[in-house]
Amino acid sequence: VPNRPKPTQPLSYARSLLQPLYNYLVNPATQNAAASAVSQELRREWIIATIDRITTQYADLVSQLIDAHLADKTAVNGVGASRPLLPDSEKVLQQLVLDVDEVARQISTSFQLEPESISSFVRLRQLVNTRYVINVIQNYSWRSAHQKLFM
């Protein structure tokens, strides 16, 4: 995402990712009649299972996105290149961190669940945060080496 400022807010899809589930099972104004007829515990199980499935698919897509950026940068930088992802991939990773944080906020506030209690969400967060931290470290190391060599 060249020439774009660093992201500071989650994208709209992240803000609306769990809204249909909330409307269908939680929000009294829009709740499905079948959902209101079942016990609170059964609704909770449905919510957890659905969020688990959504975040599993989200993690798979994020993994593919990160792999695509890595493959693209390796192709551009040469086979086996160790140069970090600069600068567009850093922005993509920052955006992913913001988006995943927004999903965590929704899980917590809309569904009164602890995001870390959903294993697929934990995987998603670890995937994004680990890749982001590695990229920051690589960028720092690359910039330090670059400055020592060329400045």
Side-chain angles (χ1 to χ4, degrees), residues 42-134:
L42 184 55
R43 263 186 283 159
R44 180 176 159 75
E45 289 175 21
W46 288 350
I47 290 167
I48 291 170
T50 305
I51 292 173
D52 184 61
R53 189 130 189 209
I54 290 168
T55 54
T56 295
Q57 291 178 343
Y58 191 2
D60 291 344
L61 292 171
V62 165
S63 182
Q64 291 172 16
L65 176 68
I66 291 171
D67 289 347
H69 271 276
L70 289 172
D72 184 46
K73 291 301 175 185
T74 300
V76 170
N77 294 334
V79 175
S82 60
R83 186 171 170 224
L85 307 175
L86 284 173
D88 56 330
S89 292
E90 184 174 335
K91 291 176 186 175
V92 168
L93 291 168
Q94 287 172 339
Q95 186 64 62
L96 288 171
V97 168
L98 291 169
D99 294 346
V100 169
D101 287 347
E102 173 60 20
V103 172
R105 186 195 65 74
Q106 288 177 36
I107 292 170
S108 179
T109 59
S110 296
F111 302 101
Q112 285 74 48
L113 295 170
E114 197 59 44
E116 285 73 24
S117 70
I118 301 171
S119 60
S120 61
F121 178 81
V122 171
R123 176 180 166 249
L124 172 63
R125 178 166 270 173
Q126 287 174 340
L127 174 68
V128 170
N129 288 345
T130 301
R131 187 60 239 171
Y132 180 74
V133 168
I134 289 170

